[in-house]
Amino acid sequence: MKLRKVTAVSAVVLALAVSATACGSGDKKDEGSSGGGKKIAIGIKYDQPGLGQKTPQGYSGFDVDVAKYVAKKLGYGENQIEWKESKSADRETMLQRGDVEFIAATYSITPEREKKVDFAGPYLLAHQDVLVRADDSSIKTAADLNSKKLCSVTGSTSAQNIKDTLAPKANLLKYPTYSACLNGLQNKAIDALTTDDSILAGYAAQDQFKGKFKLGGLKMTNENYGIGVKKGSDLKGKINKALQDMVADGSWKKAVEANFGPANYKYEPAPKIGDIKS
């Protein structure tokens, strides 16, 4: 009699264990899959207006819009996205560790980076440019920056590239943030701010700066923004397809104009997948 009771209890315990295992396996995210999981971790910048910015109202910017569109095509709604800050120096490590599924964060495709991660795209062709005051017509070429007070952020190579090659007599000033450079530009403490034109357009499009600045249109370098994924990930092909769809249905153009329009950003046409401009 006791034996029957033990056997019955064991059967119930076993059934519960099998049921719990089945439920647990259904909740677990399938690594590297498109959709099917509860969440998808995506890396963006948190401090670049117009591209990737964290605000009290949420996340905004062109990179954010691209990431949302791609995530939707992969089977994830906005409420399933887990945003993670991807600082420039951390991007490759975050992908290699699997902290994020992909990164859309002004991530220029370069041969050195391609040794460590794979890229989908490009989805935007940006250029190194300068931002000047709206009433300043003295800077039409890179050579015009000679003797000008040129600003960029500490640690950036953009201004140094100009001083080393294009305008060696430029007076290079390094500020801690782009916002500090903008304030200096507004107060005439500096003559020009340099970095990628998309980043400059994002800052210039902020409400407090509308109409005060303009892009120089110098196009000194090509910056091919791609979406970074872990080396060998099958997401690369799926993201490329999503980017093609975004261009085809007009969502890409709509996102560009919504995020950069107030700065009169003369953006390049959407690049073809795999077309890397040197």
Side-chain angles (χ1 to χ4, degrees):
M1 191 69 173
K2 289 182 180 180
L3 181 59
R4 288 180 183 175
K5 288 183 179 179
V6 171
T7 302
V9 171
S10 299
V12 171
V13 171
L14 179 59
L16 289 173
V18 170
S19 176
T21 301
C23 293
S25 64
D27 290 341
K28 187 177 180 181
K29 181 180 177 181
D30 183 12
E31 187 71 24
S33 67
S34 58
K38 282 189 173 181
K39 295 286 184 181
I40 182 169
I42 302 174
I44 57 170
K45 291 289 182 65
Y46 276 14
D47 58 353
Q48 288 185 340
L51 285 153
Q53 186 178 29
K54 182 179 180 180
T55 70
Q57 292 73 41
Y59 301 89
S60 63
F62 178 66
D63 282 345
V64 174
D65 289 344
V66 171
K68 287 179 180 178
Y69 187 97
V70 169
K72 184 176 180 180
K73 286 290 184 176
L74 295 178
Y76 295 92
E78 287 188 29
N79 62 338
Q80 293 175 290
I81 298 174
E82 181 183 357
W83 299 109
K84 293 194 175 183
E85 183 176 17
S86 297
K87 296 180 179 179
S88 296
D90 300 333
R91 290 176 298 203
E92 285 83 31
T93 302
M94 291 180 72
L95 288 169
Q96 290 169 339
R97 283 194 312 229
D99 296 340
V100 292
E101 292 296 320
F102 66 82
I103 291 176
T106 60
Y107 203 177
S108 296
I109 302 171
T110 67
E112 183 178 352
R113 288 170 178 165
E114 287 184 306
K115 294 176 183 177
K116 302 175 182 178
V117 300
D118 285 341
F119 285 97
Y123 64 91
L124 184 72
L125 176 60
H127 308 280
Q128 185 180 345
D129 200 358
V130 294
L131 193 72
V132 299
R133 287 180 292 278
D135 60 356
D136 185 352
S137 58
S138 66
I139 301 174
K140 296 182 174 64
T141 69
D144 292 333
L145 293 168
N146 281 308
S147 76
K148 297 288 188 180
K149 290 173 285 187
L150 180 65
C151 184
S152 195
V153 297
T154 304
S156 169
T157 60
S158 298
Q160 194 64 49
N161 288 340
I162 292 177
K163 187 169 177 60
D164 289 346
T165 58
L166 300 173
K169 294 182 180 179
N171 181 12
L172 179 57
L173 302 173
K174 295 183 179 180
Y175 285 22
T177 64
Y178 288 118
S179 295
C181 283
L182 282 166
N183 289 331
L185 185 59
Q186 187 172 358
N187 298 329
K188 298 186 178 181
I190 62 170
D191 299 307
L193 161 61
T194 186
T195 186
D196 294 358
D197 55 7
S198 58
I199 297 174
L200 295 174
Y203 277 100
Q206 294 181 91
D207 288 340
Q208 67 267 38
F209 296 130
K210 285 180 182 177
K212 296 180 178 179
F213 306 117
K214 65 181 179 182
L215 290 162
L218 304 187
K219 297 184 178 181
M220 293 175 281
T221 64
N222 290 328
E223 304 296 335
N224 303 274
Y225 289 176
I227 293 182
V229 298
K230 191 173 184 178
K231 200 75 174 172
S233 172
D234 65 350
L235 282 179
K236 177 179 176 178
K238 297 171 184 177
I239 293 174
N240 278 336
K241 178 61 170 61
L243 293 174
Q244 289 175 323
D245 291 345
M246 188 175 189
V247 174
D249 68 16
S251 298
W252 183 90
K253 183 178 181 180
K254 182 179 179 182
V256 170
E257 293 180 347
N259 290 290
F260 303 126
N264 295 316
Y265 177 38
K266 294 179 175 60
Y267 59 89
E268 297 278 6
K272 293 182 179 180
I273 300 300
D275 184 12
I276 312 297
K277 303 293 186 185
S278 59

